[in-house]
């Protein structure tokens, strides 16, 4: 089964095989593995001189909550820039934790506007931290990280970057303009298995954040302190997941690093988009704001089913029978579905997927009933 | 490497091999796997009619915190019965969460006294919940669950049982006297790999606990609701760990269930204790309160090192070179070390371990300098 989702993803066999050993979680060999993991995560975002990596057990959401618990004090205020479900979730997590939070929303199809953010920060001196989702998995939209980071730096606030779906593929540099905290998880562009998430945090900021967390499990400061003190995880880590993630990070190096990985994802996306357009499907986003991570397509208005109606569940099942797992849409406003371009998948997988979808449409018919082959069926 | 620790443990190859597949976490086949997991966990403690299993990402501590976050309201008060590090941790988690908590301590070598608990509960009507650690991994002590549960029921409070080191081996029956919540993790007596923990909770109590958690990630009520609604995990689960845990639960069935597993652990413990006594080591606890899960031994006063001093780190390294990982002590009052009896280990492993330790002691010398073979060297 090929997973074309936002994660868990299709991983390399070598990554999964790294889980065939048992590890003593407090043994020196496992501490060395953890140190290797932490070093590699910091290097990916060029934070060797300023930042530390703090992995944590659980999913990406656990890392988001741990970062907010730990970095936001009672007198701090978070401004979340939101154009999707994950921006909303960041704000909701902070709100439930009792932290001061404001949310600025843009339509799901539009990028965050850096100049608008600047105006808000200038107006409201109480805002201490700004939360941004780099690539919004809701749609696949890429937000303008550089511009936002520039402005947050200019007005001397802290940027918290949810890089869940971009870390390891789309370039992130925490140095200039500085990013205070970047967080992600093992099972996205790093192509590891799920079970750990992490934050790469400005060391100076983290060291001043010991008094904030009311959670024991999600206290990133104590988690970091224990790594520094003993090299060990505070609480039992998923040892096999850690081993698989380190193997996945080595595979990232072998592939040529984030740049080479992004190039493969770009090829995947390009083949997918060209093929889907040729079959009459329409991309939800404008191509100029679309990241090559996960693509959202509008559900077609006509489908060769008995009543001519496209039903995602039937489409999902039919594609799954041919070996591919795709993903439902997450928009309430529009009927959509998503196809991921990340994981250990490449050109031939997308070519095969397109053949499968073409077959479902019947020999030469596109989903809108027009001829499916050739540029004229783009459907835009 | 054979792990003789409180976990992560030595697992079966079949358990680790279950991690060789990729799974779509929102696919129906994975939902079926999750349902299987949840059903089996409830069955182990006989809660089919009254309880539901709510797995959660992370280590056992994450489950403890999730249970306290979710079940304790602002007006509730928790009484923690503590004779070890894990009782202290439960109280500390509740305290940091801002919940009302009182702690009653017994010495690390003594069981919780049920009659004393009764007096406290009668005196203080504000106490709504009682927290007990079934088997204290700090020492290996088994607390008197039946007596405590009886009394908590009699005075109509809720019992929260941390069964981290007992679930799946030592019998727990949530029905009579009732236990409101039992929690544990995948990588202890269930012999799965680490990465998920879980609580088996009284359904009626859980359904009344929607308003308590300030944490998004650790909200057990919402986690449960999502399992019931869609069969899916709210946030990305460690899919391979879930698959390994289900395989481990099937292996538990094949072995003959918790009773058969306990019998194996008892044999492991018995061989270990007899052999260690013969080598002159002394058990920290009185045998009458010792569970066959993990054994704490006092560090010997004499050791055949250059200066006659026993150093745990050297002992650990020497035993590790021969293929066994043991565990440091966790008592501040006494010099001790621990050897676990759980995991996919049996008689022959302990016989080999004893040969290794005997070798370290030299042909016929016990750690106290007396003859190491024969009953007279028991050292009690």
């Amino acid at each position: 089964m090929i997973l074309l989702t936002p994660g868990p993803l299709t991983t390399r066999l070598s990554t999964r095989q790294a889980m065939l050993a048992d590890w003593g979680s407090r043994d020196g060999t496992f501490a060395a593995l953890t140190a290797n993991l932490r070093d590699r995560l910091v290097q990916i975002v060029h934070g060797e001189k300023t930042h530390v990596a703090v992995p944590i057990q659980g999913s990406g959401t656990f890392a988001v909550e741990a970062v907010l618990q730990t970095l936001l004090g009672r007198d701090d205020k978070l401004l979340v820039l939101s154009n999707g479900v994950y921006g909303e979730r960041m704000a909701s997590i902070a709100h439930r934790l009792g932290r001061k939070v404001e949310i600025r929303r843009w339509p799901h199809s539009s990028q965050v506007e850096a100049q608008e953010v600047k105006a808000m920060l200038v107006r409201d001196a109480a805002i201490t931290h700004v939360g941004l989702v780099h690539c919004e998995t809701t749609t696949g939209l890429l937000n303008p990280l550089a511009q936002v980071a520039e402005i947050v730096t200019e007005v001397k606030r802290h940027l918290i970057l949810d890089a869940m779906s971009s870390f390891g593929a789309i370039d992130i540099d925490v140095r200039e303009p500085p990013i205070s905290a970047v967080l992600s998880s093992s099972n996205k562009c790093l192509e590891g298995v799920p079970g750990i998430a992490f934050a790469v945090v400005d060391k100076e900021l983290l060291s001043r954040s010991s008094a904030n967390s009311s959670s024991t499990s999600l206290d990133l400061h104590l988690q970091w302190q224990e790594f520094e003190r003993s090299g060990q995880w505070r609480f039992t880590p998923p040892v096999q997941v850690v081993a698989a993630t380190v193997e996945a990070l080595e595979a990232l190096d072998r592939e040529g690093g984030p740049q080479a990985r992004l190039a493969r994802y770009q090829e995947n996306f390009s083949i997918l988009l060209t093929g889907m357009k040729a079959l009459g499907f329409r991309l939800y986003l404008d191509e100029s704001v679309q990241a090559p991570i996960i693509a959202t397509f509008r559900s077609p208005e006509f489908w060769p089913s008995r009543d001519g109606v496209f039903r995602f569940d039937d489409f999902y099942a039919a594609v799954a029978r041919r070996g591919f797992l795709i993903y439902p849409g997450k928009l309430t406003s529009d009927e959509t579905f998503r196809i991921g371009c990340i994981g250990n998948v490449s050109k031939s997988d997308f070519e095969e997927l397109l053949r499968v979808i073409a077959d479902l449409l019947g020999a030469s018919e596109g989903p809108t009933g027009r001829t499916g082959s050739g540029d004229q069926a783009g459907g835009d």
Side-chain angles (χ1 to χ4, degrees), chain A:
Chain A
M1 198 64 87
I2 300 290
L3 310 185
L4 302 175
T5 72
L9 304 167
T10 300
T11 61
R12 282 169 186 72
L13 181 60
S14 64
T15 300
R16 282 170 273 132
Q17 281 174 336
M19 294 190 283
L20 286 175
D22 287 317
W23 299 78
S25 60
R26 308 223 171 265
D27 189 50
T29 53
F30 188 75
L33 197 72
T34 298
N36 184 341
L37 170 75
R38 294 183 61 216
D39 286 348
R40 285 175 184 273
L41 294 175
V42 169
Q43 284 158 19
I44 287 173
V45 292
H46 316 288
E48 292 92 331
K49 289 195 178 149
T50 48
H51 285 56
V52 289
V54 190
I56 189 157
Q57 298 90 332
S59 78
T61 299
F62 287 59
V64 175
E65 184 162 342
V67 164
L68 299 179
Q69 268 278 19
T70 307
L71 297 188
L72 295 179
R74 298 285 153 180
D75 297 330
D76 291 330
K77 181 176 176 182
L78 174 70
L79 170 65
V80 177
L81 315 177
S82 172
N83 48 5
V85 170
Y86 295 93
E88 296 296 320
R89 185 180 292 171
M90 187 190 283
S92 158
I93 289 171
H95 179 73
R96 285 186 65 174
L97 291 174
R99 303 305 202 276
K100 293 182 201 120
V101 57
E102 187 170 336
I103 187 161
R104 169 66 170 92
R105 295 187 175 93
W106 284 265
H108 285 169
S109 54
S110 302
Q111 285 184 315
V112 161
E113 294 158 298
Q115 282 309 318
E116 171 69 17
V117 175
K118 182 172 179 180
M120 292 188 75
L121 294 177
V122 169
R123 259 200 316 272
D124 188 352
I127 296 167
T128 49
H129 297 72
V130 176
L132 176 70
V133 178
H134 194 192
C135 172
E136 244 303 348
T137 313
T138 312
T139 54
L141 181 146
L142 187 70
N143 273 312
L145 169 59
Q147 289 95 305
V148 173
E150 195 76 61
I151 274 160
V152 172
T153 302
E154 192 187 323
V155 294
K156 297 192 170 53
R157 315 298 167 86
H158 292 292
L159 181 59
I160 296 173
L161 183 69
D162 173 343
M164 213 60 75
S165 296
S166 59
F167 194 103
I170 300 176
D171 188 46
I172 297 168
D173 190 327
V174 296
R175 292 172 297 188
E176 198 51 51
I179 305 171
S180 296
V182 180
L183 51 93
S184 185
S185 86
S186 53
N187 63 297
K188 302 279 190 174
C189 299
L190 296 182
E191 300 186 1
V193 298
I196 56 170
F198 56 86
V200 180
V201 191
D202 180 281
K203 194 171 164 172
E204 204 266 310
L205 178 65
L206 186 57
S207 65
R208 285 188 280 117
S209 305
S210 63
N212 295 332
S213 178
S214 61
S215 169
T216 301
S217 311
L218 302 178
D219 186 327
L220 219 56
H221 181 269
L222 284 180
Q223 185 92 341
W224 169 54
Q225 292 281 293
E226 186 63 28
F227 285 129
E228 297 293 325
R229 194 185 67 77
S230 67
Q232 297 177 8
W233 295 62
R234 279 163 79 216
F235 307 123
T236 304
V239 289
Q240 283 86 3
V241 170
V242 172
T245 306
V246 171
E247 168 56 31
L249 286 162
E250 285 169 5
L252 176 61
D253 269 2
R254 291 195 297 271
E255 185 171 353
Q259 256 192 316
R261 181 150 296 177
L262 182 63
R264 174 163 57 84
Y265 292 170
Q266 275 165 334
E267 184 182 51
N268 291 347
F269 174 71
S270 166
I271 291 167
L272 175 69
L273 182 61
T274 305
M276 290 292 277
K277 275 185 182 176
L279 292 171
F281 288 91
R282 289 189 300 144
L283 194 65
Y284 171 75
L285 292 176
D286 189 281
E287 278 179 57
S288 63
V289 299
Q290 170 77 56
I293 303 295
I294 187 164
T296 302
F297 292 98
R298 291 183 185 279
S299 299
E301 280 162 33
F302 174 79
W303 189 251
S305 61
R306 200 170 300 183
D307 57 3
V309 174
F310 175 88
R311 287 181 189 82
F312 175 74
D313 289 350
D314 296 341
F315 182 61
Y316 177 92
V319 173
R321 276 193 295 274
R322 300 279 296 270
F324 294 94
L325 290 190
I326 61 169
Y327 219 65
K330 212 166 188 166
L331 298 166
T332 47
S333 56
D334 297 82
E335 289 288 320
T336 59
F337 63 91
R338 289 177 288 176
I339 298 179
C341 302
I342 60 178
N344 184 33
V345 289
S346 59
K347 198 177 170 182
S348 58
D349 298 304
F350 288 89
E351 288 166 348
E352 174 61 18
L353 172 74
L354 290 165
R355 274 193 293 274
V356 167
I357 298 177
D359 281 356
L360 292 178
L361 280 166
S364 62
E365 270 199 316
T368 58
R370 288 174 288 162
T371 306
S373 57
D375 285 345
Q376 72 279 19
D380 282 309

